[in-house]
Amino acid sequence: MSEMRKETLVIVGSGPAAWTAAIYAARADLQPLVYEGSFSRTMVPGGQLMFTTEIENYPGFPEGVTGQKMMMDFKAQAERFGTRVVTEDIVRVDFAVRPFRLWSGGGSEVEARAVILATGANARWIGLPNEERLAQSGGGVSACAVCDGALPFFRDRVIAVVGGGDSAMEDALYMTKFASEVVVIHRRDELRASHIMQQRALESDRIRFEWNTIVTDVLGDDEITGLRLRDTLTGEERELEVGGLFVAIGHTPNTGFLGDQVKLKDNGYVATPVPWRTATSVAGVFAAGDVMDDYYRQAVSAAGTGCMAALEAERWLAHGADDD
Ligand code: NAP
């Protein structure tokens, strides 16, 4: 039997954008209901930060903080002001009706006058078992150089970066500050990155490129020690000693549950058509954090857009919600 909840504001997601939106909305007495997502093999409530090790670039934590602790504290702060939390995914929405309707993976249905989408994005991984194991154990495999690259672990080591786009070039350039050498491993002989990023990386004497090469295994028990590589032209396999691996092969925003109910950009991120606003193509539906941000993708910028979405939702509920 499905039960129907009637809510003012539903927030979907549980990263810094979602919890910041919840803190602001709860303090504005909107009594938000957060669907924080369920536990799956590749994702847990709390999102991508649950997989990062130490966060050193979020202001206010001079000694750093773990992603897990930060997300637990964000959630506790939202709950302190009355946010209610359901540990389920939203699997389907209908934004053509008012109030909006959302369905959870647990079989419940909820009505909401306003919705904030903050389901984030997942970094793409190559898909190798040892890559996943060492990424989860903090063994020197990461999908975010800006998050993890400055950790002592990566200093003065040979660091591999996989990918040929702007993220890979940015990660490679960033890692030149810490690594003894950076090796970019790209599956083709041509980069996808923008001209300027390519130029910077190609001109760096700290970066070398392995072209037409894919990673077929990540070596090391507790810590990464090397990579097994395959030449895509000759099929030849060999090993490369490295002390760290950054996988920079793109992100996938978590929008599957939205169907065609809200406009997405060409690259799949939720469109927020007005600059410096979080309003989506559907009045009353707002988007915050990595699900709409294909550019900054930082915890602090996600928190900022979460705040913006809550303020916009509050104003819309006060002035616009029942006008149309
Ligand atoms: P991207 O442009 O989609 O590039 C992904 C790269 O990873 C491509 O080179 C692709 O190879 C490679 N790749 C994909 N799947 C792979 C796999 N399974 N194994 C090996 N390689 C794989 O993603 P992105 O670099 O994250 O950039 C996303 C967007 O953000 C872009 O619009 C970018 O301009 C923007 N961005 C901008 C900046 C900046 O301006 N500073 C920084 C970061 C991101 P192929 O080339 O062969 O397809």
Side-chain angles (χ1 to χ4, degrees):
M1 256 313 259
S2 70
E3 51 176 284
M4 171 76 87
R5 292 175 183 257
K6 291 179 191 299
E7 300 290 336
T8 302
L9 174 65
V10 164
I11 298 171
V12 192
S14 54
W19 295 126
T20 305
I23 291 165
Y24 273 77
R27 285 173 50 79
D29 207 22
L30 297 181
Q31 297 160 338
L33 179 68
V34 172
Y35 279 84
E36 67 169 350
S38 62
F39 291 83
S40 71
R41 198 180 64 82
T42 52
M43 200 30 77
V44 295
Q48 292 191 89
L49 285 185
M50 301 299 277
F51 299 111
T52 63
T53 37
E54 199 78 1
I55 300 171
E56 295 182 326
N57 54 8
Y58 200 101
F61 298 92
E63 305 303 325
V65 59
T66 67
Q68 295 187 6
K69 166 114 176 73
M70 174 179 265
M71 284 305 93
M72 276 162 43
D73 285 351
F74 269 46
K75 179 178 176 179
Q77 193 171 345
E79 287 179 321
R80 182 180 150 213
F81 297 107
T83 299
R84 291 153 304 133
V85 181
V86 181
T87 308
E88 288 180 12
D89 296 317
I90 290 296
V91 294
R92 187 160 68 90
V93 299
D94 185 352
F95 292 158
V97 294
R98 298 288 174 83
F100 305 122
R101 295 175 85 169
L102 303 92
W103 288 266
S104 81
S108 61
E109 194 175 336
V110 60
E111 278 187 359
R113 292 173 64 212
V115 173
I116 294 176
L117 305 170
T119 43
N122 286 352
R124 285 192 211 129
W125 295 95
I126 303 166
L128 302 167
N130 287 331
E131 169 199 36
E132 186 179 331
R133 181 176 58 77
L134 289 168
Q136 283 177 3
S137 68
V141 176
S142 165
C144 179
V146 180
C147 316
D148 297 329
L151 294 173
F153 183 97
F154 295 106
R155 304 257 160 146
D156 302 319
R157 294 178 170 210
V158 177
I159 300 297
V161 174
V162 177
D166 279 334
S167 295
M169 297 310 105
E170 197 168 65
D171 284 5
L173 288 160
Y174 185 78
M175 289 313 296
T176 59
K177 290 190 274 193
F178 313 108
S180 58
E181 184 186 26
V182 178
V183 184
V184 173
I185 299 166
H186 183 37
R187 62 184 177 182
R188 294 187 293 140
D189 63 357
E190 200 183 343
L191 296 170
R192 178 179 296 278
S194 56
H195 179 69
I196 184 153
M197 296 295 282
Q198 287 196 27
Q199 206 176 6
R200 280 187 199 148
L202 290 165
E203 282 173 2
S204 168
D205 57 7
R206 312 281 307 275
I207 300 176
R208 83 180 161 83
F209 287 78
E210 292 282 356
W211 303 104
N212 300 312
T213 302
I214 58 169
V215 178
T216 57
D217 200 2
V218 180
L219 310 174
D221 295 329
D222 299 329
E223 285 184 7
I224 184 171
T225 56
L227 300 173
R228 176 155 272 281
L229 304 179
R230 182 186 300 148
D231 187 308
T232 58
L233 302 179
T234 64
E236 194 184 311
E237 296 233 353
R238 65 194 172 84
E239 287 182 12
L240 174 73
E241 258 183 55
V242 299
L245 169 65
F246 288 88
V247 180
I249 59 175
H251 286 75
T252 308
N254 297 317
T255 56
F257 69 104
L258 294 171
D260 58 1
Q261 297 286 307
V262 64
K263 273 208 185 95
L264 305 180
K265 294 198 269 191
D266 288 345
N267 61 7
Y269 288 74
V270 175
T272 49
V274 182
W276 289 95
R277 292 283 186 274
T278 64
T280 69
S281 59
V282 180
V285 177
F286 305 86
D290 285 10
V291 78
M292 50 73 87
D293 172 16
D294 58 8
Y295 190 78
Y296 298 106
R297 296 198 196 105
Q298 301 300 302
V300 69
S301 50
T305 53
C307 158
M308 290 157 65
L311 294 177
E312 281 177 68
E314 182 190 355
R315 284 168 200 173
W316 187 78
L317 284 162
H319 302 295
D322 304 312
D323 293 351
D324 49 6

